Amino acid sequence: MFSTYNQLLKQAAKKNYAVGAFNINNLEFLHAVVSAAEEEQSPVIVQTSEGALGYAGLEELAAMVHVVVRRTKVPVVYHLDHGKDIDLIAYIIKSGLYQSVMFDGSSLSYDENVRETTKLAKLAHKNGVAIEAELGAIAGIEDFVSVAEQDAHLTSPEQAKEFVETTGCDSLAIAIGTSHGAFKFSDASKLDFKRLERINKTIDLPLVLHGASGIPTNIKNQCVKYGCKIAEAKGVSDAHIKKAISLGINKINIDSDLRIAFDAGVRQFLSENPEVIDPRKILEPATELMQKVVQQKMRIFGSAGKA
Ligand code: G3H
Ligand code: 13P
Ligand code: ZN
């Protein structure tokens, strides 16, 4: 069943856990995510990037999501991830197909980010849709050569307070040293927890952690064994995810971990079954592996059993 973004995240904030937000691009990813939520009795956010809409179609993905969500008993929110195209975001808000949208104004100046987020927040709220905003540049801590440079790009607690009060957004994606993709760190994961603690003390909204994939070693090794060149990939450790949740993170975005699970499943199956050409048979183990990964995340995030 559909729930609302604010209901899901407020509940998570009250009980100190995080809801996983998983990117989907097709039916296999959707089935894996919703089946995992059912298995773990967990609330879940299903999200599509603008790239996913370009790949599969906005109406096509929404139709699939609506059919699947209407049938399930676990609470699901359908969310637009990293919306940058203002016209598209406005269309989605008015369409009634999504419960929430993210406006990613992180590449704009602070003032422009405030201006556009405020406009979209008004439109979203008029239409009963929630809005996630972003402040700071989501980039790996190792991308910065100095503390001063980190300070200039990671989310400032003081600016975050002013930003959420001015814009009226429902949640804030913050930059504390995670980055998108499978290559986040050269060694162990490193996040700016002091900054997170200060942001959490300063603002009273659910905080969102992007770029949170863990790149589990067993899945990575399965990819590598069957030919994928990602041996150097490294993600955020489970311990750091748990610590981030304890310091106020209530929504966690995961895409790369599903991608590598899909990749591992398809590669292994094709390598071991070179005579098979049936796409249903080829995709089945990949879908099962993605479901396992999502279930594991729900246990780590503490959302399992909270449906
Ligand atoms: O944050 C980005 C997500 O991983 C989506 O990536 O734009 O390639 O669909 P994408
Ligand atoms: P990962 O690349 O770490 O999975 O991050 C995904 C994300 O933040 C989607 O918005
Ligand atoms: Zn993201």
Side-chain angles (χ1 to χ4, degrees):
M1 64 187 179
F2 279 115
S3 184
T4 69
Y5 184 87
N6 286 337
Q7 199 177 329
L8 241 56
L9 295 195
K10 279 197 178 127
Q11 192 69 7
K14 210 164 97 188
K15 298 200 170 153
N16 296 313
Y17 64 88
V19 181
F22 301 94
N23 287 74
I24 65 144
N25 296 277
N26 61 23
L27 185 64
E28 284 71 24
F29 280 61
L30 173 63
H31 273 160
V33 172
V34 175
S35 300
E38 287 171 338
E39 207 55 46
E40 295 297 326
Q41 284 302 297
S42 171
V44 71
I45 296 171
V46 171
Q47 59 187 14
T48 48
S49 66
E50 289 182 351
L53 303 185
Y55 171 73
L58 189 156
E59 308 290 341
E60 288 88 334
L61 284 170
M64 285 194 310
V65 169
H66 279 248
V67 168
V68 170
V69 175
R70 274 201 301 267
R71 209 171 44 205
T72 188
K73 290 196 172 63
V74 293
V76 184
V77 159
Y78 190 35
H79 175 78
L80 174 71
D81 187 33
H82 288 286
K84 289 193 172 182
D85 178 337
I86 307 256
D87 292 338
L88 177 67
I89 301 170
Y91 174 82
I92 284 177
I93 287 173
K94 290 182 205 154
S95 73
L97 295 171
Y98 283 71
Q99 283 73 53
S100 55
V101 293
M102 174 192 190
F103 171 59
D104 176 355
S106 59
S107 57
L108 306 175
S109 69
Y110 176 77
D111 287 345
E112 275 178 292
N113 192 359
V114 168
R115 202 164 38 245
E116 296 303 335
T117 305
T118 308
K119 269 197 252 164
L120 285 167
K122 282 205 182 96
L123 183 68
H125 293 153
K126 204 172 98 189
N127 287 273
V129 170
I131 185 159
E132 173 181 328
E134 176 173 332
L135 188 62
I138 292 171
I141 263 186
E142 290 160 4
D143 295 335
F144 308 115
V145 286
S146 65
V147 174
E149 215 197 333
Q150 265 184 41
D151 263 346
H153 291 90
L154 301 182
T155 308
S156 141
E158 296 72 34
Q159 206 172 42
K161 181 173 163 51
E162 184 193 273
F163 183 86
V164 301
E165 284 172 0
T166 317
T167 61
C169 62
D170 297 284
S171 70
L172 188 67
I174 54 165
I176 55 164
T178 59
S179 59
H180 291 109
F183 298 83
K184 301 182 195 297
F185 308 101
S186 56
D187 199 356
S189 64
K190 194 169 170 232
L191 303 183
D192 191 340
F193 287 115
K194 284 208 180 93
R195 186 178 295 270
L196 171 57
E197 213 170 348
R198 276 167 48 223
I199 297 170
N200 193 35
K201 277 198 184 119
T202 323
I203 69 172
D204 192 23
L205 276 187
L207 302 175
V208 183
L209 189 64
H210 282 245
S213 277
I215 317 297
T217 311
N218 57 334
I219 309 286
K220 180 175 86 171
N221 289 348
Q222 190 176 333
C223 283
V224 171
K225 181 173 173 194
Y226 294 98
C228 185
K229 293 193 164 45
I230 56 158
E232 301 305 316
K234 280 198 184 65
V236 185
S237 72
D238 293 347
H240 280 174
I241 289 293
K242 286 183 183 164
K243 185 163 180 185
I245 295 169
S246 76
L247 294 174
I249 293 292
N250 296 126
K251 172 176 180 269
I252 298 190
N253 281 22
I254 302 287
D255 188 357
S256 299
D257 280 347
L258 270 76
R259 291 182 180 194
I260 61 168
F262 181 84
D263 186 271
V266 169
R267 281 179 193 268
Q268 178 166 358
F269 183 85
L270 287 176
S271 163
E272 291 172 354
N273 303 276
E275 75 292 353
V276 176
I277 59 162
D278 182 341
R280 295 165 300 190
K281 294 206 169 91
I282 295 169
L283 295 179
E284 200 174 286
T287 307
E288 282 168 8
L289 194 54
M290 287 194 289
Q291 181 180 332
K292 270 196 200 139
V293 166
V294 176
Q295 285 186 232
Q296 176 69 11
K297 296 283 161 201
M298 288 168 166
R299 281 180 234 141
I300 295 166
F301 299 169
S303 69
K306 304 289 196 320

mmCIF file of all heavy atoms in Angstrom, residues 22-42:
data_model
loop_
_atom_site.group_PDB
_atom_site.id
_atom_site.type_symbol
_atom_site.label_atom_id
_atom_site.label_comp_id
_atom_site.label_asym_id
_atom_site.label_seq_id
_atom_site.Cartn_x
_atom_site.Cartn_y
_atom_site.Cartn_z
ATOM 1 N N PHE A 22 15.551 2.704 -2.601
ATOM 2 C CA PHE A 22 16.276 1.903 -3.590
ATOM 3 C C PHE A 22 15.902 2.343 -5.005
ATOM 4 O O PHE A 22 14.722 2.468 -5.329
ATOM 5 C CB PHE A 22 15.951 0.423 -3.374
ATOM 6 C CG PHE A 22 16.331 -0.064 -1.987
ATOM 7 C CD1 PHE A 22 15.402 -0.077 -0.952
ATOM 8 C CD2 PHE A 22 17.637 -0.453 -1.709
ATOM 9 C CE1 PHE A 22 15.747 -0.495 0.332
ATOM 10 C CE2 PHE A 22 18.003 -0.868 -0.425
ATOM 11 C CZ PHE A 22 17.062 -0.887 0.594
ATOM 12 N N ASN A 23 16.916 2.543 -5.835
ATOM 13 C CA ASN A 23 16.670 2.970 -7.215
ATOM 14 C C ASN A 23 16.243 1.783 -8.076
ATOM 15 O O ASN A 23 16.877 0.720 -8.033
ATOM 16 C CB ASN A 23 17.944 3.572 -7.820
ATOM 17 C CG ASN A 23 18.230 4.942 -7.247
ATOM 18 O OD1 ASN A 23 18.660 5.070 -6.111
ATOM 19 N ND2 ASN A 23 17.991 5.984 -8.019
ATOM 20 N N ILE A 24 15.189 1.998 -8.851
ATOM 21 C CA ILE A 24 14.747 0.950 -9.782
ATOM 22 C C ILE A 24 14.740 1.498 -11.213
ATOM 23 O O ILE A 24 14.561 2.705 -11.432
ATOM 24 C CB ILE A 24 13.349 0.399 -9.428
ATOM 25 C CG1 ILE A 24 12.266 1.498 -9.595
ATOM 26 C CG2 ILE A 24 13.295 -0.138 -7.985
ATOM 27 C CD1 ILE A 24 10.969 0.960 -10.115
ATOM 28 N N ASN A 25 14.945 0.600 -12.148
ATOM 29 C CA ASN A 25 14.939 0.968 -13.569
ATOM 30 C C ASN A 25 14.042 0.057 -14.392
ATOM 31 O O ASN A 25 13.799 0.312 -15.559
ATOM 32 C CB ASN A 25 16.351 0.852 -14.157
ATOM 33 C CG ASN A 25 17.303 1.833 -13.516
ATOM 34 O OD1 ASN A 25 17.358 2.989 -13.902
ATOM 35 N ND2 ASN A 25 18.047 1.385 -12.511
ATOM 36 N N ASN A 26 13.614 -1.039 -13.786
ATOM 37 C CA ASN A 26 12.806 -2.004 -14.542
ATOM 38 C C ASN A 26 12.044 -2.915 -13.573
ATOM 39 O O ASN A 26 12.155 -2.765 -12.349
ATOM 40 C CB ASN A 26 13.693 -2.830 -15.489
ATOM 41 C CG ASN A 26 14.741 -3.625 -14.736
ATOM 42 O OD1 ASN A 26 14.595 -3.916 -13.549
ATOM 43 N ND2 ASN A 26 15.811 -3.993 -15.410
ATOM 44 N N LEU A 27 11.309 -3.854 -14.132
ATOM 45 C CA LEU A 27 10.443 -4.711 -13.323
ATOM 46 C C LEU A 27 11.235 -5.592 -12.355
ATOM 47 O O LEU A 27 10.791 -5.840 -11.232
ATOM 48 C CB LEU A 27 9.598 -5.598 -14.261
ATOM 49 C CG LEU A 27 8.545 -6.472 -13.591
ATOM 50 C CD1 LEU A 27 7.483 -5.621 -12.912
ATOM 51 C CD2 LEU A 27 7.902 -7.408 -14.597
ATOM 52 N N GLU A 28 12.409 -6.061 -12.797
ATOM 53 C CA GLU A 28 13.196 -6.949 -11.940
ATOM 54 C C GLU A 28 13.639 -6.233 -10.660
ATOM 55 O O GLU A 28 13.560 -6.787 -9.564
ATOM 56 C CB GLU A 28 14.430 -7.477 -12.697
ATOM 57 C CG GLU A 28 14.145 -8.574 -13.703
ATOM 58 C CD GLU A 28 13.406 -8.084 -14.940
ATOM 59 O OE1 GLU A 28 13.488 -6.880 -15.270
ATOM 60 O OE2 GLU A 28 12.741 -8.915 -15.588
ATOM 61 N N PHE A 29 14.099 -4.993 -10.811
ATOM 62 C CA PHE A 29 14.527 -4.227 -9.626
ATOM 63 C C PHE A 29 13.326 -3.964 -8.713
ATOM 64 O O PHE A 29 13.413 -4.074 -7.491
ATOM 65 C CB PHE A 29 15.166 -2.885 -10.051
ATOM 66 C CG PHE A 29 16.610 -3.006 -10.493
ATOM 67 C CD1 PHE A 29 16.976 -3.789 -11.571
ATOM 68 C CD2 PHE A 29 17.617 -2.316 -9.823
ATOM 69 C CE1 PHE A 29 18.298 -3.894 -11.986
ATOM 70 C CE2 PHE A 29 18.948 -2.406 -10.212
ATOM 71 C CZ PHE A 29 19.280 -3.203 -11.297
ATOM 72 N N LEU A 30 12.194 -3.616 -9.311
ATOM 73 C CA LEU A 30 10.985 -3.325 -8.514
ATOM 74 C C LEU A 30 10.553 -4.561 -7.727
ATOM 75 O O LEU A 30 10.283 -4.483 -6.525
ATOM 76 C CB LEU A 30 9.861 -2.857 -9.453
ATOM 77 C CG LEU A 30 8.481 -2.664 -8.816
ATOM 78 C CD1 LEU A 30 8.512 -1.572 -7.745
ATOM 79 C CD2 LEU A 30 7.439 -2.308 -9.891
ATOM 80 N N HIS A 31 10.492 -5.709 -8.406
ATOM 81 C CA HIS A 31 10.095 -6.943 -7.718
ATOM 82 C C HIS A 31 11.064 -7.274 -6.590
ATOM 83 O O HIS A 31 10.652 -7.676 -5.503
ATOM 84 C CB HIS A 31 10.048 -8.116 -8.705
ATOM 85 C CG HIS A 31 8.724 -8.217 -9.398
ATOM 86 N ND1 HIS A 31 8.554 -8.893 -10.581
ATOM 87 C CD2 HIS A 31 7.501 -7.745 -9.062
ATOM 88 C CE1 HIS A 31 7.284 -8.817 -10.942
ATOM 89 N NE2 HIS A 31 6.621 -8.122 -10.046
ATOM 90 N N ALA A 32 12.364 -7.119 -6.850
ATOM 91 C CA ALA A 32 13.369 -7.439 -5.829
ATOM 92 C C ALA A 32 13.166 -6.567 -4.588
ATOM 93 O O ALA A 32 13.195 -7.063 -3.453
ATOM 94 C CB ALA A 32 14.780 -7.231 -6.393
ATOM 95 N N VAL A 33 12.925 -5.279 -4.792
ATOM 96 C CA VAL A 33 12.811 -4.342 -3.668
ATOM 97 C C VAL A 33 11.524 -4.596 -2.882
ATOM 98 O O VAL A 33 11.541 -4.702 -1.648
ATOM 99 C CB VAL A 33 12.870 -2.870 -4.174
ATOM 100 C CG1 VAL A 33 12.547 -1.893 -3.055
ATOM 101 C CG2 VAL A 33 14.240 -2.571 -4.769
ATOM 102 N N VAL A 34 10.406 -4.748 -3.583
ATOM 103 C CA VAL A 34 9.131 -4.916 -2.862
ATOM 104 C C VAL A 34 9.066 -6.304 -2.211
ATOM 105 O O VAL A 34 8.582 -6.440 -1.080
ATOM 106 C CB VAL A 34 7.925 -4.625 -3.795
ATOM 107 C CG1 VAL A 34 6.603 -4.914 -3.088
ATOM 108 C CG2 VAL A 34 7.963 -3.162 -4.237
ATOM 109 N N SER A 35 9.576 -7.332 -2.876
ATOM 110 C CA SER A 35 9.590 -8.663 -2.246
ATOM 111 C C SER A 35 10.457 -8.647 -0.988
ATOM 112 O O SER A 35 10.115 -9.285 0.016
ATOM 113 C CB SER A 35 10.137 -9.723 -3.210
ATOM 114 O OG SER A 35 9.330 -9.792 -4.351
ATOM 115 N N ALA A 36 11.570 -7.927 -1.037
ATOM 116 C CA ALA A 36 12.432 -7.820 0.155
ATOM 117 C C ALA A 36 11.675 -7.149 1.297
ATOM 118 O O ALA A 36 11.735 -7.601 2.444
ATOM 119 C CB ALA A 36 13.690 -7.023 -0.182
ATOM 120 N N ALA A 37 10.944 -6.080 0.981
ATOM 121 C CA ALA A 37 10.178 -5.367 2.017
ATOM 122 C C ALA A 37 9.123 -6.287 2.620
ATOM 123 O O ALA A 37 8.900 -6.287 3.834
ATOM 124 C CB ALA A 37 9.539 -4.117 1.420
ATOM 125 N N GLU A 38 8.489 -7.092 1.770
ATOM 126 C CA GLU A 38 7.460 -8.018 2.281
ATOM 127 C C GLU A 38 8.096 -9.072 3.173
ATOM 128 O O GLU A 38 7.606 -9.385 4.254
ATOM 129 C CB GLU A 38 6.728 -8.680 1.102
ATOM 130 C CG GLU A 38 5.801 -7.699 0.403
ATOM 131 C CD GLU A 38 5.222 -8.243 -0.896
ATOM 132 O OE1 GLU A 38 5.822 -9.170 -1.489
ATOM 133 O OE2 GLU A 38 4.169 -7.725 -1.321
ATOM 134 N N GLU A 39 9.205 -9.600 2.715
ATOM 135 C CA GLU A 39 9.906 -10.649 3.472
ATOM 136 C C GLU A 39 10.360 -10.118 4.837
ATOM 137 O O GLU A 39 10.297 -10.828 5.834
ATOM 138 C CB GLU A 39 11.120 -11.098 2.643
ATOM 139 C CG GLU A 39 11.589 -12.501 2.880
ATOM 140 C CD GLU A 39 10.521 -13.569 2.689
ATOM 141 O OE1 GLU A 39 9.783 -13.543 1.689
ATOM 142 O OE2 GLU A 39 10.439 -14.406 3.595
ATOM 143 N N GLU A 40 10.842 -8.878 4.853
ATOM 144 C CA GLU A 40 11.373 -8.290 6.103
ATOM 145 C C GLU A 40 10.326 -7.485 6.869
ATOM 146 O O GLU A 40 10.631 -6.917 7.917
ATOM 147 C CB GLU A 40 12.569 -7.370 5.786
ATOM 148 C CG GLU A 40 13.776 -8.083 5.222
ATOM 149 C CD GLU A 40 14.387 -9.089 6.200
ATOM 150 O OE1 GLU A 40 14.354 -8.853 7.409
ATOM 151 O OE2 GLU A 40 14.888 -10.132 5.715
ATOM 152 N N GLN A 41 9.105 -7.410 6.311
ATOM 153 C CA GLN A 41 8.055 -6.567 6.938
ATOM 154 C C GLN A 41 8.607 -5.170 7.224
ATOM 155 O O GLN A 41 8.557 -4.664 8.354
ATOM 156 C CB GLN A 41 7.527 -7.234 8.214
ATOM 157 C CG GLN A 41 6.575 -8.391 7.911
ATOM 158 C CD GLN A 41 5.371 -7.911 7.077
ATOM 159 O OE1 GLN A 41 4.584 -7.095 7.530
ATOM 160 N NE2 GLN A 41 5.241 -8.393 5.833
ATOM 161 N N SER A 42 9.124 -4.561 6.157
ATOM 162 C CA SER A 42 9.786 -3.259 6.282
ATOM 163 C C SER A 42 9.103 -2.211 5.414
ATOM 164 O O SER A 42 8.694 -2.509 4.285
ATOM 165 C CB SER A 42 11.245 -3.404 5.824
ATOM 166 O OG SER A 42 11.870 -2.149 5.727
#
